[in-house]
């Protein structure tokens, strides 16, 4: 069953209790960021099901057990110290967002690229600030600062508390890919407004949630997505959790803490 909400800024939100097929230009999401922020870490969708809806994306795993990177149709887990392993299809996720990545525009910015510069590049590439974007940045990175959060045990703490035990690692002179989404302000509570970035190395051995990066003339590809599908979990945790949108301070503490 699908519940269609009004069109917002040329993008359509679809809340679904079932699962459909491949839809180009669609971000397919498990749960809402407000549920994850509130401590709902119970996996509701398998990674095998997730791969049916996208070959590119990010998220986390049951019990907040590592950072998820989906690249080339494969689901990877970045665990302690940013060590990457391939994930079995039976593994469940409480929150993830994927799409079948098809580049709508591509650019190789001159000079150094970091998070503020990437935001400027995206603003110049399109004025469609109210449309969700999947962003892929590939090349040589002088530095990528990544974090991972250890597996949690019940009763689960709020995410802002869980990340206090995060592990932060600096990767230097490494080839790889940034897997990211840029979400508009109206997605607040559903997803992370602004940029949300994960990284995986070219050899698929290191990765995690990105706190900072520096690259020189990488390739930036953007896929503009006009539909956002949210798969509503049927778990007890989701039914009970407070889904009030998180504060900006909590979001910054969790998703964009100051780089070291």
């Amino acid at each position: 069953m699908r519940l269609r909400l009004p069109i917002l800024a040329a993008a359509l939100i679809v809340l679904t209790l079932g699962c459909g097929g491949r839809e180009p230009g669609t971000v397919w999401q498990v749960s809402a960021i407000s549920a994850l922020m509130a401590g709902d870490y119970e996996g509701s969708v398998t990674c095998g099901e997730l791969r049916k809806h996208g070959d590119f994306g990010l998220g986390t795993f049951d019990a907040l057990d590592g950072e998820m990177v989906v690249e080339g149709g494969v689901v990877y887990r970045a665990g302690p110290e940013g060590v990457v392993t391939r994930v079995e299809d039976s593994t469940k996720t409480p929150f993830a967002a994927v799409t079948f990545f098809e580049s709508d525009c591509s650019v190789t910015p001159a000079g150094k690229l970091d998070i503020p510069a990437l935001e400027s590049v995206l603003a110049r590439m399109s004025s469609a600030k109210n449309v969700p974007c999947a962003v892929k940045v590939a090349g040589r990175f002088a530095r990528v600062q990544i974090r991972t959060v250890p597996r949690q045990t019940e009763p689960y703490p709020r995410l802002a508390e869980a990340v206090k035990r995060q592990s932060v690692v600096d990767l230097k002179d490494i080839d790889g890919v940034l897997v990211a989404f840029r979400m508009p302000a109206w997605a607040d509570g559903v997803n992370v407004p602004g940029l949300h970035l994960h990284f995986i190395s070219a050899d698929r051995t290191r990765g995690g949630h990105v706190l900072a990066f520096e690259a020189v003339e990488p390739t930036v590809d953007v896929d503009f997505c006009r539909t956002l599908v949210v798969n509503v979990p049927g778990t007890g945790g989701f039914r009970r959790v407070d889904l009030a949108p998180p504060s900006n301070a909590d979001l910054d503490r969790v998703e964009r803490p100051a780089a070291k």
Side-chain angles (χ1 to χ4, degrees):
M1 180 181 70
R2 290 190 173 186
L3 307 176
R4 293 186 178 270
L5 275 63
I7 293 177
L8 296 175
L12 176 68
I13 296 182
V14 180
L15 301 182
T16 176
L17 303 180
C19 301
R22 175 168 180 160
E23 298 181 26
T26 295
V27 178
W28 197 87
Q29 181 175 308
V30 178
S31 191
I33 191 63
S34 56
L36 193 74
M37 291 287 297
D40 180 19
Y41 309 145
E42 183 181 356
S44 61
V45 172
T46 67
C47 289
E49 184 62 43
L50 189 69
R51 292 195 304 113
K52 295 178 183 178
H53 301 279
D55 57 9
F56 176 93
L58 49 76
T60 187
F61 301 97
D62 187 71
L64 208 66
D65 190 16
E67 305 284 347
M68 178 192 292
V69 182
V70 184
E71 168 63 1
V74 179
V75 182
Y76 299 96
R77 171 184 173 270
E81 302 302 316
V83 175
V84 167
T85 56
R86 190 164 174 165
V87 175
E88 297 293 332
D89 277 349
S90 58
T91 304
K92 289 187 175 182
T93 174
F95 176 82
V98 294
T99 189
F100 287 104
F101 193 93
E102 297 179 359
S103 180
D104 290 315
C105 54
S106 181
V107 65
T108 302
K112 184 182 75 171
L113 189 73
D114 55 15
I115 290 178
L118 176 58
E119 290 174 337
S120 297
V121 167
L122 294 175
R124 292 196 300 271
M125 290 174 77
S126 172
S127 60
K129 67 177 182 179
N130 291 325
V131 175
C133 300
V135 182
K136 181 185 295 188
V137 182
R140 184 77 174 176
F141 292 81
R143 176 194 184 214
V144 184
Q145 187 176 84
I146 57 171
R147 74 105 188 273
T148 57
V149 178
R151 182 183 179 90
Q152 303 297 299
T153 57
E154 296 184 277
Y156 294 137
R158 295 180 64 85
L159 190 53
E161 290 298 316
V163 298
K164 292 180 179 179
R165 296 175 55 213
Q166 68 184 8
S167 169
V168 178
V169 177
D170 267 326
L171 305 177
K172 301 291 183 66
D173 298 320
I174 188 168
D175 292 321
V177 177
L178 292 180
V179 171
F181 285 99
R182 187 195 69 180
M183 289 290 174
W186 56 256
D188 187 20
V190 177
N191 204 304
V192 180
L195 273 173
H196 183 183
L197 306 100
H198 286 194
F199 174 81
I200 189 164
S201 60
D203 63 6
R204 305 301 192 249
T205 62
R206 307 301 299 276
H209 177 96
V210 175
L211 302 180
F213 76 89
E214 294 178 8
V216 178
E217 299 186 351
T219 300
V220 179
D221 286 279
V222 179
D223 183 2
F224 299 108
C225 302
R226 299 179 64 83
T227 305
L228 173 58
V229 176
V230 180
N231 186 274
V232 179
T235 57
F238 183 86
R239 293 173 180 174
R240 293 188 300 268
V241 74
D242 179 6
L243 292 178
S247 69
N248 290 337
D250 276 353
L251 265 178
D252 286 343
R253 189 176 300 115
V254 167
E255 299 296 342
R256 293 179 281 267
K260 297 180 179 179

